[in-house]
Amino acid sequence: MVTKVVLFFMDRFHWVYLGLLASVAAIASETSIALAIILVIGCIFVIEPFLHNANPLTPWLREQDDQSLFLACRGKSFPAARWFYYWLPSDPRCRLCRVPFGGVGKILRIVPSRKNPEFCTDCIEAAPLGTYEKEVGILFVDIRGFTAWSENRSPAEVADRLTRFYALASRVLTKDDALVEFVGDQVMALYLPDFPSLRERTPEVMISAAERLLAEIDRQQREDALPVGIGLHVGVGSVGNVGKGGTKDFTAVGDVVNTAARLQSGACAGQIVLSEEVYARAAGRCPPAEPLSLSLKGKSEPFRAYVIHAHRGVV
């Protein structure tokens, strides 16, 4: 509770900051306009870092209450900060906290997250270690037969093909605010329903993203298109930063992730296999899908799922 109170007052510090800048400018302008400009710029460089997690106090407070990221996703934390950042120049900016990447943000070295360039590193990578039980949608995409394909090709060709696959998957999936990570010849995308752009639409957004990805692969690579299969599942998992010391990674772990991976392994090239949960929640907004029963590793009972056969060239 104490942490929340302190964070609340830190949030309101922006008004003090603006008042301080105005006071400094007013006082200095009586002596020299040039001095006023110099002092205001100096205040921006000295104080502004305290407004966006570059100070020792904010990370310490977040360690005490690291659900602040998830609260911010629902618009229940730091509303004044979002308002303040919104008025700072200039676009593009983080879709969560609204801090700009250009203008002032560029000067202060605010950079996009490697998980999704629509978010800043302060919202994702800079969040403290720790996970919380949250509902999450998981999309797994895998290149079928990649190991066998790689055997007769040079390391440079394999690396180039994998890099292009990563770039394509990242470009397509991050459009829907997914957080993307690469695992060997697989890509895993996390969809957090807490994000304002997702909410109850998460299942249909995941299905649409999977269809677009397969279509983009077909369209761009044509005859030499990679054989790709996709698995989708939604459920409760442990979401947050895992790791040790300075090495950490924002991810999700738990049965929901394992199940999505197993569904992906059961998908043939050009297929999207989704769990019954995803299919049910998507309701009438799901493309035609065939029911099937899968024997998944780690599951004692047959797992009911649905398969969508992607249509080539449809984006």
Side-chain angles (χ1 to χ4, degrees), residues 103-261:
V104 174
K106 187 175 182 179
I107 295 174
L108 297 173
R109 299 179 182 178
I110 304 299
V111 296
S113 166
R114 59 186 175 83
K115 295 285 185 176
N116 188 321
E118 297 292 335
F119 308 131
C120 70
T121 54
D122 283 355
C123 280
I124 308 299
E125 282 86 355
L129 287 173
T131 61
Y132 281 86
E133 297 298 302
K134 308 289 295 183
E135 184 168 273
V136 59
I138 303 292
L139 181 153
F140 256 107
V141 53
D142 173 77
I143 303 175
R144 290 290 172 265
F146 187 73
T147 301
W149 179 88
S150 304
E151 287 181 356
N152 300 319
R153 288 167 172 80
S154 68
E157 183 181 355
V158 172
D160 176 69
R161 192 60 179 275
L162 197 56
T163 299
R164 287 191 287 125
F165 169 65
Y166 283 165
L168 175 59
S170 179
R171 178 172 58 81
V172 172
L173 299 176
T174 55
K175 285 183 178 180
D176 298 309
D177 289 351
L179 303 178
V180 176
E181 57 185 86
F182 310 120
V183 187
D185 60 348
Q186 299 178 345
V187 175
M188 183 176 81
L190 282 64
Y191 293 82
L192 298 177
D194 277 347
F195 284 5
S197 59
L198 296 175
R199 299 287 195 258
E200 68 280 351
R201 296 178 55 249
T202 300
E204 62 180 288
V205 169
M206 294 168 61
I207 295 171
S208 176
E211 288 191 301
R212 290 202 319 274
L213 178 56
L214 291 177
E216 278 291 315
I217 290 174
D218 285 342
R219 185 178 68 83
Q220 290 196 9
Q221 300 173 352
R222 296 174 183 169
E223 293 81 9
D224 196 27
L226 292 170
V228 166
I230 299 178
L232 307 177
H233 187 41
V234 62
V236 176
S238 295
V239 182
N241 271 311
V242 298
K244 185 177 182 180
T247 303
K248 58 184 178 180
D249 185 45
F250 192 93
T251 188
V253 295
D255 183 67
V256 60
V257 178
N258 298 334
T259 300

